[in-house]
Amino acid sequence: MSRTETNSAETTRIIGATLEFHGAAGEVTGSCTLVRTPKARIVIDFGMFQGSPADEARNAVAPEIDFALVDAVVVTHAHIDHCGRLAMLPNLGFRGKIYATTATHELLGRVLRSSAKLQRARFYERASGSAPWGRALMPGEVAGPAPEFPPAQRLFDTPDVRDTMDKVEGVPLDREVKIAPHVALTFRNAGHTPGAASAELSIGVGADRRVLYFTGDLGADREGHVSLLAAPHRPANADVIVVESTNGERQRGQLPDPDETLAEIVAEAARKRLKVLAPVFALGRAQLLVHRLARLHAKGLLHGLNVYVDSPMAVYGIESLYKHPEYLAPDLRDSVRAGGAPLWFPELHYVLSKRESMAIDRMVHGGIILAGSGFMDAGPMLRHLEESLDREDCMVLLGGYQPEDGFGKRMQRGADRAQFTGGKVVPIRASTSRVDGLSGHAYQDDLVRWFSRLDHKPARVILNHGTDAARATLAGRLSNELGLACTAPKPLEELSV
Ligand SMILES: [Zn+2]
């Protein structure tokens, strides 16, 4: 055998890769994909399953991956459904490195420590029967007993977080780093949340190199529209794209301009001195809303209304954007680089402790409180709701997705009472309002447009992180309109690419 033939055979062995989907295949949480080449094993994301108690229970079951053999773990962003189980790695025998963007690296320690703290609190609260909960009641509906929570999972604790963070290496966007034999990683801007990136894996060498592109959660390219974050990067030469499809079934259509809707809500709140409760997720909607409120301030339309960001994590998210302006839309990036603070305004207040949070509960009349959780089922938002729902001068500002039959959806449908921990029932006198068009996820049209604008058509598109219906709808459009070969893998399915 000649020298050339030997090299060629070796290269062929190097570039073949298999993908295994250990989460988020046909669902929107628990992201975890194993990439196997003959020379390396890489895991992309290790997130928690979220939703029902049954989903929660799945977190304690480690995926069938021999982590002792995994060279590297790549984390796309600091949302718990993508990074939430990382702190289990030290106890699963993982000895390699964890790669995240520099910005995500900075957020990750806080997210995992806060998760450990929450797991401890839940463990004691559920064991003692004092777990906080809330339920909006429809007219005529009888208040029921407390929900039955299963015993809380203790997946990891603070020392595990410390051991995990010792393994994390922060990498700037667009810088290639070698992470395993014949595998290089480049993070690309995903436009989803502060620090969020897509993972571009380059496998093999020379002309036989193949590029696998994992979008992670992807924001929308809202060209011509106001945007907080930069448009998601479009890969130049991806052979295989693993794309998220959370909103694969949803058409964006003509969304109303959030600035206009918000201006009307703010004007009403200022006129009636309303206490506005805005349920948000700390990384994502919180920053999107603060950006829009800063714009209202700049236009003289905030009417002196105070805005309280009642979430340390949301505050870190805002600060992260100042520190890493490369994630911001061009106009905001330029402003920050010139020393500006485009997300700041005099009425903006950070609430960084439970004590401060309890104090604003009592003092706010004519102000907006941004607090978690975005689904109104946990966190300080539950306490704010319990405190204020019986007040006519309270308004709940909803936005984005709310779970079917959850607190927010029920309020929109006319719930007239709410029940909280200990069985306390309060009448709902607060009003509701909605602001749309502030999603961190690309919609179906956005995803189709993103693919249509790629200079290099991928040989294969693999859809994950979406329900089967969302994946089927999106796959239909991508193959019919753009001629792309699409696959929607089942859980644990192995795909050779
Ligand atoms: Zn996300």
Side-chain angles (χ1 to χ4, degrees):
M1 185 184 284
S2 75
R3 185 183 164 83
T4 318
E5 280 167 339
T6 308
N7 282 348
S8 164
E10 277 194 356
T11 306
T12 307
R13 286 202 301 275
I14 289 163
I15 62 175
T18 307
L19 306 185
E20 281 176 28
F21 294 84
H22 289 265
E27 56 187 330
V28 294
T29 63
S31 268
C32 181
T33 306
L34 173 67
V35 183
R36 266 190 293 131
T37 78
K39 303 264 181 189
R41 288 171 194 223
I42 318 288
V43 168
I44 312 285
D45 284 338
F46 192 18
M48 278 192 193
F49 294 98
Q50 295 175 294
S52 67
D55 287 323
E56 263 182 48
R58 294 161 71 194
N59 290 319
V61 183
E64 285 183 28
I65 296 173
D66 188 347
F67 279 100
L69 301 177
V70 170
D71 299 88
V73 174
V74 175
V75 189
T76 58
H77 64 295
H79 274 163
I80 211 82
D81 59 329
H82 290 259
C83 72
R85 295 205 282 171
L86 286 174
M88 294 168 72
L89 286 174
N91 292 326
L92 293 175
F94 177 65
R95 293 188 298 269
K97 270 190 182 173
I98 300 169
Y99 294 89
T101 62
T102 316
T104 295
H105 182 192
E106 290 163 8
L107 294 168
L108 210 49
R110 298 181 193 283
V111 168
L112 294 176
R113 272 194 300 277
S114 135
S115 175
K117 192 174 154 191
L118 185 67
Q119 288 172 43
R120 279 199 305 272
R122 277 198 181 145
F123 181 79
Y124 297 125
E125 284 163 356
R126 291 189 183 180
S128 64
S130 62
W133 57 276
R135 176 195 289 147
L137 301 171
M138 300 308 288
E141 186 177 351
V142 178
E148 286 204 13
F149 295 108
Q153 304 280 354
R154 298 283 308 269
L155 302 174
F156 52 83
D157 212 333
T158 313
D160 306 309
V161 176
R162 191 192 52 226
D163 293 348
T164 304
M165 292 311 295
D166 284 347
K167 296 175 183 296
V168 183
E169 185 172 321
V171 183
L173 285 175
D174 303 320
R175 180 182 297 172
E176 189 177 84
V177 51
K178 195 169 178 295
I179 60 170
H182 302 286
V183 181
L185 161 74
T186 309
F187 281 119
R188 305 293 191 183
N189 204 340
H192 170 60
T193 53
S198 300
E200 186 176 293
L201 288 193
S202 177
I203 298 176
V205 286
D208 291 318
R209 207 171 78 127
R210 301 196 66 203
V211 175
L212 269 55
Y213 197 82
F214 295 82
T215 66
D217 285 351
L218 207 60
D221 181 355
R222 300 195 171 91
E223 201 175 56
H225 290 85
V226 172
S227 180
L228 168 68
L229 298 173
H233 173 83
R234 290 195 297 272
N237 54 355
D239 298 297
V240 177
I241 295 182
V242 180
V243 64
E244 71 123 327
S245 48
T246 311
N247 282 342
E249 234 182 336
R250 296 196 190 109
Q251 300 271 10
R252 178 156 53 86
Q254 284 303 104
L255 289 174
D257 180 356
D259 283 2
E260 272 180 34
T261 319
L262 209 51
E264 286 168 19
I265 292 167
V266 162
E268 184 187 348
R271 198 171 60 245
K272 298 181 181 169
R273 289 185 55 74
L274 298 181
K275 175 186 199 172
V276 181
L277 299 178
V280 293
F281 287 106
L283 294 176
R285 180 163 299 269
Q287 289 80 34
L288 294 172
L289 210 44
V290 165
H291 169 225
R292 297 294 175 151
L293 291 166
R295 287 172 54 80
L296 288 191
H297 167 81
K299 293 180 193 168
L301 295 174
L302 197 57
H303 309 293
L305 214 60
N306 283 310
V307 176
Y308 302 87
V309 182
D310 184 6
S311 157
M313 196 61 69
V315 170
Y316 299 137
I318 296 170
E319 295 300 313
S320 170
L321 290 171
Y322 285 120
K323 195 169 172 192
H324 302 282
E326 62 272 24
Y327 292 93
L328 288 166
D331 56 329
L332 301 172
R333 186 189 311 157
D334 293 347
S335 163
V336 170
R337 285 187 175 150
L343 302 181
W344 185 83
F345 45 98
E347 297 88 346
L348 181 68
H349 306 281
Y350 291 166
V351 180
L352 295 170
S353 70
K354 189 170 178 183
R355 235 168 123 178
E356 292 169 8
S357 174
M358 290 170 80
I360 57 162
D361 233 349
R362 290 188 291 272
M363 71 181 235
V364 172
H365 298 275
I368 305 177
I369 301 174
L370 278 59
S373 92
F375 291 161
M376 306 165 69
D377 58 356
M381 181 46 71
L382 256 188
R383 200 185 56 248
H384 292 310
L385 290 166
E386 184 173 347
E387 189 76 22
S388 304
L389 276 184
D390 63 346
R391 289 166 46 169
E392 280 175 7
D393 64 350
C394 174
M395 176 196 271
V396 177
L397 174 59
L398 298 166
Y401 172 78
Q402 289 291 327
E404 273 315 307
D405 214 36
F407 211 118
K409 275 272 164 74
R410 281 175 155 242
M411 277 197 74
Q412 280 182 291
R413 291 185 191 128
D416 60 355
R417 289 152 301 137
Q419 194 184 358
F420 293 97
T421 318
K424 178 182 167 190
V425 177
V426 299
I428 298 181
R429 299 197 181 94
S431 58
T432 57
S433 59
R434 267 199 79 83
V435 60
D436 286 307
L438 294 177
S439 176
H441 285 275
Y443 283 81
Q444 184 194 102
D445 326 77
D446 300 317
L447 291 167
V448 172
R449 199 159 74 104
W450 183 79
F451 274 102
S452 75
R453 297 175 79 186
L454 295 178
D455 292 332
H456 174 84
K457 191 167 141 181
R460 191 159 185 193
V461 175
I462 296 167
L463 298 94
N464 77 341
H465 208 278
T467 60
D468 285 343
R471 295 193 296 172
T473 312
L474 180 62
R477 281 199 66 186
L478 292 177
S479 61
N480 293 339
E481 295 173 31
L482 304 176
L484 294 168
C486 297
T487 311
K490 294 184 180 64
L492 299 178
E493 187 172 337
E494 289 185 26
L495 291 180
S496 293
V497 295

